[in-house]
Amino acid sequence: MASPGVVSTVTPTSSAGSDQVAAGGEARRPVAVAPAAMEERKRKRKESNRLSAQRSRARKQQQLDELAGQVAALRSRNAALGLAARDAARRCAAVHAENELLRARSVELAARLESLTDLAQCLHDAAAASSFAAPPMMSATAFPGAGAGAAGFMMPQPPPLLDATTMHCNYYY
């Protein structure tokens, strides 16, 4: 608080210091300010500071609320991404398991194909070696009671063991 009768070096119309020169070139003299005016200035300054502090607190509260909202949104997104990552890992494990089964099935089928190829080659070689060629023409006397119609009879030839058009093996043994 200021004491009564304090002299102020600032005039009410100017916000500059006391060393200013007036428009006419004269130096200003210190002017006595009434204690009521000083109290009014203090009151206005306090009110201005109070309002400024209130606005500052409101801005900080708004920033804090925005940051809290961002934290909540980021936590939610993080949880969703974690769930998606776990789902992707589960699907990846399932695909790996399926790939292992398919690899095993592929090895099994390759071995089976090789076995069947070897069997087909063996049967083909056996058929070629036994040569089921038609025997020479037989006479009717070779077949008693056959008569003249049996004169051109030939032994029937068995069907081939491996059908070349379908690659299907005929098992007659």
Side-chain angles (χ1 to χ4, degrees):
M1 267 184 101
S3 59
V6 175
V7 176
S8 174
T9 58
V10 178
T11 60
T13 58
S14 170
S15 64
S18 62
D19 294 337
Q20 272 190 338
V21 177
E26 302 176 12
R28 292 190 183 163
R29 287 182 280 163
V31 177
V33 178
M38 288 284 281
E39 289 300 319
E40 182 63 23
R41 283 185 188 166
K42 282 184 182 180
R43 188 190 63 73
K44 284 183 179 181
R45 172 62 60 197
K46 281 183 179 180
E47 181 67 19
S48 173
N49 286 346
R50 186 183 66 77
L51 292 174
S52 177
Q54 188 178 13
R55 286 190 304 267
S56 177
R57 284 190 298 271
R59 277 193 307 270
K60 284 185 180 182
Q61 184 63 43
Q62 183 181 5
Q63 288 173 345
L64 186 63
D65 292 343
E66 287 175 2
L67 289 175
Q70 287 178 359
V71 165
L74 289 173
R75 282 188 178 153
S76 174
R77 183 173 180 211
N78 192 24
L81 289 174
L83 183 64
R86 285 188 295 277
D87 185 51
R90 182 190 54 77
R91 286 184 287 139
C92 185
V95 167
H96 280 294
E98 185 180 3
N99 281 346
E100 288 301 318
L101 287 174
L102 291 173
R103 280 189 191 102
R105 182 75 174 146
S106 173
V107 168
E108 176 188 339
L109 289 174
R112 190 171 173 192
L113 177 64
E114 183 179 352
S115 173
L116 289 173
T117 304
D118 290 346
L119 178 64
Q121 184 63 43
C122 180
L123 291 175
H124 183 283
D125 292 345
S130 65
S131 83
F132 285 113
M137 298 288 267
M138 298 183 145
S139 66
T141 58
F143 295 101
F153 179 77
M154 296 179 58
M155 292 283 291
Q157 189 172 9
L161 292 175
L162 183 63
D163 186 0
T165 58
T166 62
M167 294 304 290
H168 177 59
C169 187
N170 297 316
Y171 296 105
Y172 289 109
Y173 291 109

